[in-house]
Amino acid sequence: MEKQKNAVGRRKEAVARVYMSKGTGNITVNDKEYKAYFPIMYLQNQVELPLKTTETSASFDIVVTVAGGGPKGQAEAVKMAIARALCEVNAEYRPALKKEGLMTRDPRSVERKKFGKRKARRSFQFSKR
């Protein structure tokens, strides 16, 4: 790998941009250590999953900028972006990542609110009298 690889991951309203270069395994999210940015263990595991799947945890330094959405959406956007960057580095990682479901963009997002309703489907309280 000659220089850094870039990739984008999206989930719900979150967008993560990943810059991957050869290194010692540091992951920085928005200028913070990823364990400080994602304090919940589940979210940390989501971020680490592509690296654990390909057994490259100590091979790359990763810098992430992520914006929009909430913590879970952001963590899953980072997960997808890292997986895509790993595929750019080495195409042989793709089958393992695909088997783990890391290459598929999750299309689920919040349904839009309809007029005459309180939320997307929830109606206002009905009063017979």
Side-chain angles (χ1 to χ4, degrees):
M1 191 165 99
E2 67 289 343
K3 58 181 178 63
Q4 71 179 15
K5 296 286 183 183
N6 306 349
V8 173
R10 293 185 183 86
R11 172 75 167 96
K12 294 185 173 184
E13 289 295 306
V15 179
R17 288 174 189 82
V18 163
Y19 307 95
M20 184 181 283
S21 55
K22 280 266 187 254
T24 57
N26 297 328
I27 303 175
T28 311
V29 181
N30 290 356
D31 300 325
K32 289 184 181 177
E33 174 64 27
Y34 81 104
K35 291 187 176 180
Y37 192 84
F38 298 116
I40 300 165
M41 197 67 202
Y42 168 77
L43 300 179
Q44 293 173 16
N45 292 338
Q46 289 291 300
V47 172
E48 294 165 357
L49 190 60
L51 297 169
K52 285 181 179 170
T53 304
T54 57
E55 296 167 9
T56 54
S57 297
S59 306
F60 300 105
D61 282 342
I62 300 171
V63 178
V64 184
T65 55
V66 63
K72 186 173 184 203
Q74 287 190 349
E76 293 186 5
V78 170
K79 172 178 78 171
M80 183 180 197
I82 291 172
R84 284 179 167 179
L86 283 168
C87 281
E88 273 189 38
V89 171
N90 188 348
E92 292 166 18
Y93 294 146
R94 190 173 176 86
L97 292 168
K98 199 163 177 67
K99 185 171 179 251
E100 212 58 42
L102 302 175
M103 298 306 295
T104 309
R105 159 77 158 95
D106 193 337
R108 296 175 296 170
S109 62
V110 179
E111 191 176 338
R112 80 174 210 74
K113 184 195 173 297
K114 316 305 188 301
F115 54 86
K117 300 266 186 175
R118 190 162 28 165
K119 291 168 65 180
R121 299 186 182 199
R122 170 84 165 94
S123 300
F124 295 108
Q125 186 169 340
F126 175 74
S127 172
K128 198 167 190 176
R129 286 179 185 78

